[in-house]
Amino acid sequence: IEMKREVINSVKAPDAIGPYSHCNKVGNFIFTSGQLPLDKETKELKTDIKEATRQSLENVKSILEEAGSSIKNVVKATVFVKDLAQFAELNEVYNEYFGENPPARSCVQVAKLPMDAVVEIEVIAIAE
């Protein structure tokens, strides 16, 4: 089966800080790059875990919308967190976005993230 890959970059999400695109759309699947809690307008990196989780998810949401999908179509999320002791606070905000029927998810503590961020989130979603 031959499937074409479409590279998509959102004007509403922060510019990539490395050699990657915001997302790739292959068939009905959308694969996002990890999103740091970076505000597109102010260039501010959020450091409070709740604010950071919200900003990362807003960036993911913008990318998905640009790709013809939405946060409700996420089927898998991967969350990289600097301190797993903040797991409950992260989940509080995460639940606001994914609610009752959340996607499959992995959440791992990592030694360091780009820009020394406290969280980075990537997802796989289905196009609408």
Side-chain angles (χ1 to χ4, degrees):
I1 298 173
E2 187 177 326
M3 294 190 152
K4 83 174 184 169
R5 176 177 72 116
E6 181 183 355
V7 175
I8 299 169
N9 288 297
S10 173
V11 295
K12 294 181 181 177
D15 295 334
I17 62 168
Y20 58 87
S21 57
H22 283 148
C23 76
N24 280 254
K25 188 174 182 181
V26 180
N28 285 339
F29 288 97
I30 299 163
F31 303 85
T32 73
S33 292
Q35 294 302 301
L36 297 174
L38 193 58
D39 185 293
K40 165 84 173 170
E41 301 304 316
T42 66
K43 310 287 189 236
E44 176 193 1
L45 183 73
K46 309 287 183 179
T47 56
D48 171 81
I49 190 62
K50 286 184 178 182
E51 288 179 23
T53 302
R54 183 168 283 108
Q55 185 65 62
S56 289
L57 286 169
E58 283 297 320
N59 294 344
V60 165
K61 184 177 169 194
S62 294
I63 292 165
L64 292 175
E65 289 170 359
E66 184 85 19
S69 189
S70 70
I71 204 89
K72 70 180 172 63
N73 289 344
V74 172
V75 295
K76 174 72 166 94
T78 305
V79 179
F80 304 97
V81 64
K82 188 175 180 177
D83 185 359
L84 214 43
Q86 298 176 320
F87 190 64
E89 293 169 283
L90 180 146
N91 282 335
E92 190 178 315
V93 174
Y94 186 91
N95 193 47
E96 292 173 19
Y97 287 81
F98 296 110
E100 210 171 287
N101 296 303
R105 182 181 86 174
S106 301
C107 183
V108 294
Q109 179 174 308
V110 295
K112 190 163 177 113
L113 289 164
M115 299 179 70
D116 206 26
V118 296
V119 68
E120 181 174 6
I121 301 172
E122 65 181 33
V123 303
I124 300 170
I126 306 284
E128 294 188 332

